[in-house]
């Protein structure tokens, strides 16, 4: 496969800034959707309102939020292979990926914002219908942007060294984007201090963040000429055929199994963090933002080490070590509060300290591992189905995220008076990390890199 040129450092960052945009939107939805529509007692005391029915209203086990978000993620997962195949077979003069980035960026920003603008300012079935529609639209649009975007990683990087550099850049912008989403309480807190009503302050905050994210997503779409860096020609292939060929790859199947379980654990923990802070540690909700920012800043210290260790020992071993750190971190969180005889502030610091290394490792290495597998397949078969590999990976981990929303929203309601449900959530996330490490141990990384 012949390439015309390699990305300059400046172009790498132009590409990476797009990840900041869609990660910020993902962080807003992932971190604050449940908080906004299924507030706990602490949030209600701060002025939050009830917009949709609360509690386990379906079959005595599922909540409105859990059912809607899980449906959205399942719909999202189903559309991933479709979008991946569209992208692989795109014949635009601008390339296979960039046209999708240009078309999806602005609608995605708007759809994310409208999720938090229910039409009725109190409890109403119309709000449930509104939420259902815009959650589905959000998930479809983020697929239309993120799947072609991540597919570019394998095509823009021509060597292992370039692959690690680009993976590091987009990992950095990813966690900055997620952190941007976590700054929301600080912003709406400032609006509230100025006299704005709570829900209006939250809406204004999300309007600002969505505008910033949209601008970031447009940067790679209009600054990178895909044709200069990537060879786009590929024989047309149907979605079903491409998907079956992709999952026929044994190493890929192992990778996506552990990846889905990792996202099951991470999504439960990420969604639960504001509640762990307020209900377990008995700290102000703003501490969740401070913890995530501290976690982000601390993880940056591990970036050079992750790159060094990955080159020396391989990506697989480092990801397995990251699973071990998350196992300890999530388990510790489950016992936080009254079961650990140290100040709550110190417990929050320990949660951050244990999570810094795995955040860095999972931020950098998994996308590079998918690119390795996709390029191994291209070298073995002569077919470039990079888009489908990344789409299939996204399909699998979003199934994990879907399960996480059902599990979290259901477990969180157990003994809500004493927060037992939140402890069970953290323990479940910890057990998932142990299972993910076991599955990943079967991956044959030497075979992949040997091609």
């Amino acid at each position: 496969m012949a390439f015309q040129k390699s990305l300059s450092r400046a172009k790498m960052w132009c590409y990476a800034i797009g990840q900041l945009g869609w990660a910020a939107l993902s962080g807003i939805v992932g971190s604050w959707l449940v908080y906004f529509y299924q507030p706990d007692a602490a949030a209600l005391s701060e002025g939050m309102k009830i917009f949709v029915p609360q509690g386990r209203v379906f079959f005595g086990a599922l909540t409105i939020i859990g059912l809607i978000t899980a449906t959205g993620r399942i719909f999202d997962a189903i559309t991933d292979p479709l979008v991946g195949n569209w992208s692989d077979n795109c014949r635009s003069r601008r390339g296979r990926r960039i046209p999708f980035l240009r078309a999806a960026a602005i609608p995605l920003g708007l759809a994310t914002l409208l999720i938090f603008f229910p039409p009725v300012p109190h409890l109403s079935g119309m709000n449930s219908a509104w939420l259902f529609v815009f959650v589905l639209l959000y998930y479809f649009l983020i697929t239309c942007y993120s799947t072609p975007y991540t597919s570019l990683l394998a095509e823009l990087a021509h060597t292992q060294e370039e692959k690690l550099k680009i993976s590091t850049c987009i990992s950095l912008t990813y966690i900055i984007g997620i952190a941007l989403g976590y700054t929301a309480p600080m912003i709406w807190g400032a609006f509230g201090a100025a006299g704005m009503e709570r829900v209006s302050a939250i809406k204004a905050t999300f309007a600002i963040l969505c505008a910033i994210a949209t601008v970031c997503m447009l940067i790679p779409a209009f600054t990178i000429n895909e044709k200069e860096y990537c060879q786009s020609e590929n024989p047309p292939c149907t979605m079903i055929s491409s998907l079956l060929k992709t999952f026929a790859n044994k190493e890929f199947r192992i990778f996506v199994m552990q990846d889905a379980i990792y996202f099951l654990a991470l999504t439960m923990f990420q969604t639960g963090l504001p509640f762990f802070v307020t209900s377990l540690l008995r700290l102000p909700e703003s501490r969740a933002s401070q913890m995530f920012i501290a976690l982000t800043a601390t993880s940056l210290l591990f970036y050079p080490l992750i790159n060094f260790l990955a080159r020396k020992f391989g990506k697989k071993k480092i990801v397995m070590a990251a699973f071990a750190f998350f196992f300890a971190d999530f388990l510790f969180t489950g016992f936080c509060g009254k079961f650990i005889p140290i100040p709550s502030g110190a417990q929050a610091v320990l949660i951050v300290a244990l999570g810094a290394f795995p955040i860095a490792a999972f931020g950098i290495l998994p996308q590079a591992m998918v690119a390795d597998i996709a390029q191994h397949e291209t070298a073995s078969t002569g077919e470039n189905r990079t888009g489908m590999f990344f789409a299939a990976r996204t399909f699998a981990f979003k199934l994990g995220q879907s399960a996480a929303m059902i599990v979290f929203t259901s477990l969180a309601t157990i003994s809500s008076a004493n927060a037992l449900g939140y402890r069970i959530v953290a323990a479940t996330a910890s057990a998932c990390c142990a299972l993910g490490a076991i599955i990943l141990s079967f991956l044959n990384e030497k075979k992949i890199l040997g091609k």
Side-chain angles (χ1 to χ4, degrees):
M1 183 180 296
F3 298 94
Q4 296 177 358
K5 63 168 69 173
S6 295
L7 282 182
S8 65
R9 176 72 65 174
K11 288 295 185 181
M12 284 186 185
W13 286 110
C14 285
Y15 170 68
I17 202 72
Q19 178 100 350
L20 191 157
W22 70 264
L25 299 182
S26 177
I28 290 170
V29 173
S31 301
W32 303 115
L33 177 61
V34 174
Y35 177 87
F36 191 86
Y37 282 103
Q38 190 175 303
D40 61 4
L44 290 171
S45 68
E46 293 289 338
M48 286 302 300
K49 298 179 179 179
I50 301 295
F51 294 105
V52 300
Q54 305 293 290
R56 289 172 285 183
V57 298
F58 288 96
F59 312 112
L62 302 178
T63 64
I64 286 283
I65 297 301
L67 186 63
I68 289 176
T69 53
T71 301
R73 290 185 182 276
I74 292 171
F75 171 75
D76 183 23
I78 292 172
T79 58
D80 277 319
L82 179 63
V83 173
N85 192 62
W86 286 348
S87 180
D88 278 343
N89 292 319
C90 181
R91 293 295 179 267
S92 169
R93 61 186 177 85
R94 292 189 173 92
R96 296 192 292 178
R97 320 300 182 188
I98 292 298
F100 286 85
L101 273 56
R102 292 189 177 187
I106 294 175
L108 173 56
L110 287 173
T112 304
L113 180 60
L114 289 173
I115 285 175
F116 299 95
F117 277 74
V120 181
H122 51 75
L123 178 64
S124 170
M126 187 178 295
N127 291 334
S128 299
W130 176 278
L131 181 62
F132 179 77
V133 170
F134 280 99
V135 163
L136 288 188
L137 185 59
Y138 159 81
Y139 280 120
F140 175 70
L141 289 170
I142 202 167
T143 295
C144 288
Y145 189 94
S146 64
T147 295
Y149 177 89
T150 52
S151 301
L152 276 173
L153 171 61
E155 297 171 347
L156 294 173
H158 308 152
T159 67
Q160 282 293 318
E161 187 70 20
E162 289 181 5
K163 198 178 301 176
L164 279 175
K165 286 181 179 178
I166 298 176
S167 294
T168 301
C169 289
I170 64 175
S171 171
L172 175 61
T173 52
Y174 176 80
I175 60 176
I176 292 174
I178 295 292
L180 185 63
Y182 262 97
T183 63
M186 299 180 184
I187 302 173
W188 74 55
F191 285 140
M196 189 178 291
E197 183 265 338
R198 178 76 164 191
V199 174
S200 297
I202 291 176
K203 291 178 178 178
T205 298
F206 291 154
I208 293 170
L209 295 180
C210 287
I212 294 172
T214 300
V215 171
C216 290
M217 289 189 294
L218 290 171
I219 289 176
F222 287 94
T223 60
I224 293 178
N225 185 343
E226 183 181 339
K227 291 286 190 175
E228 291 183 0
Y229 304 98
C230 310
Q231 180 174 314
S232 299
E233 290 76 14
N234 197 45
C237 186
T238 65
M239 183 191 75
I240 298 300
S241 173
S242 181
L243 189 62
L244 290 175
K245 290 178 180 179
T246 300
F247 276 105
N249 187 307
K250 177 184 175 182
E251 308 309 325
F252 183 70
R253 291 199 304 272
I254 293 172
F255 175 86
V256 294
M257 286 175 61
Q258 63 82 35
D259 204 40
I261 291 172
Y262 161 68
F263 276 98
L264 170 63
L266 182 67
T267 303
M268 283 194 291
F269 191 82
Q270 181 187 41
T271 305
L273 185 57
F275 303 105
F276 299 151
V277 169
T278 58
S279 296
L280 301 187
L281 296 175
R282 302 294 179 182
L283 296 171
E285 67 176 12
S286 60
R287 186 62 65 89
S289 300
Q290 296 169 8
M291 288 174 64
F292 196 87
I293 292 171
L295 181 61
T296 300
T298 307
S299 71
L300 298 180
L301 301 177
F302 288 96
Y303 273 47
L305 178 63
I306 295 296
N307 277 275
F308 170 77
L309 294 176
R311 283 189 286 264
K312 186 174 179 62
F313 298 107
K315 305 178 188 73
K316 170 186 168 180
K317 291 181 180 179
I318 308 308
V319 173
M320 290 182 67
F323 266 126
F325 273 90
F326 263 152
F327 170 83
D329 195 17
F330 296 168
L331 188 62
F332 173 79
T333 302
F335 287 96
C336 275
K338 63 182 180 180
F339 294 108
I340 300 179
I342 59 176
S344 294
Q347 294 178 50
V349 171
L350 285 174
I351 292 173
V352 170
L354 285 170
F357 174 82
I359 283 291
F362 278 108
I364 296 172
L365 300 180
Q367 295 193 86
M369 294 171 74
V370 178
D372 288 339
I373 295 171
Q375 289 180 323
H376 174 270
E377 180 81 359
T378 299
S380 300
T381 66
E383 295 183 8
N384 184 349
R385 289 180 284 104
T386 304
M388 185 56 76
F389 271 97
F390 279 93
R393 183 236 177 168
T394 308
F395 170 82
F397 80 61
K398 285 175 181 174
L399 290 180
Q401 291 175 326
S402 301
M405 296 306 294
I406 293 176
V407 172
F408 175 84
T409 53
S410 297
L411 292 180
T413 61
I414 297 175
S415 299
S416 56
N418 60 15
L420 175 62
Y422 297 134
R423 299 188 187 280
I424 294 174
V425 166
T428 303
S430 179
C432 288
C433 289
L435 179 59
I438 293 171
I439 293 173
L440 183 60
S441 68
F442 292 96
L443 183 75
N444 190 343
E445 189 174 44
K446 289 183 179 179
K447 172 187 172 183
I448 297 168
L449 299 181
K451 197 75 175 180

